[in-house]
Amino acid sequence: MAERVRPRHGALGVRLGKVGTGTWLVLLVTGALLTALVVALATSGQPAAVGAQLRGLPRAGQDASHLPVSYDVSKPPRTEVQCTVQAVGKDHGLVGQLTDIVPARTDGKSTTTRTVVVPTTATGVSAVVSDCHITARR
């Protein structure tokens, strides 16, 4: 009356047992290669870096209606960029904002100097380039 014990099978009917070191090594290398491939594909479509820096602190606005601001934009050649320039008042509050479209350059250079006039509601004493991002590639 001894019943025969059946070997345990996984969900796909594969017999579970000891797996050799070579098999684990092949599985590990295959997993690493697949992970590297997924990371490479995911990062290949990432936009290139865009940076902006003030060329110096702007002079305090001579009136409460505008603040001239000069800044440099570093971007890949042949890309159009949109930057948000903000004017800051004496109390460190936002007193003005301007969206500046930086056109694509075709000369291969990656840095563009921009001078804009930010409309303000009070006298501006400083400025910030709060955001720059690529809007088009040419």
Side-chain angles (χ1 to χ4, degrees), residues 23-136:
T23 303
W24 281 114
L25 184 59
V26 168
L27 290 172
L28 182 65
V29 169
T30 303
L33 290 174
L34 286 174
T35 301
L37 179 64
V38 167
V39 168
L41 290 174
T43 59
S44 66
Q46 294 293 324
V50 176
Q53 183 174 6
L54 291 177
R55 292 189 56 86
L57 288 176
R59 292 184 321 163
Q62 286 144 3
D63 61 39
S65 64
H66 67 279
L67 180 68
V69 178
S70 291
Y71 68 101
D72 291 331
V73 179
S74 299
K75 61 185 183 66
R78 300 183 183 276
T79 56
E80 181 181 277
V81 173
Q82 178 177 311
C83 294
T84 302
V85 183
Q86 297 177 330
V88 179
K90 293 177 189 173
D91 63 352
H92 305 288
L94 182 67
V95 296
Q97 181 170 302
L98 174 82
T99 299
D100 184 28
I101 304 294
V102 183
R105 292 185 71 152
T106 57
D107 60 5
K109 294 183 180 178
S110 61
T111 302
T112 301
T113 299
R114 301 288 290 176
T115 300
V116 296
V117 177
V118 180
T120 58
T121 58
T123 302
V125 297
S126 186
V128 175
V129 182
S130 65
D131 176 53
C132 284
H133 58 275
I134 295 174
T135 56

Side-chain angles (χ1 to χ4, degrees), residues 7-17:
R8 296 182 66 99
H9 290 76
L12 298 176
V14 177
R15 184 175 178 167
L16 300 175

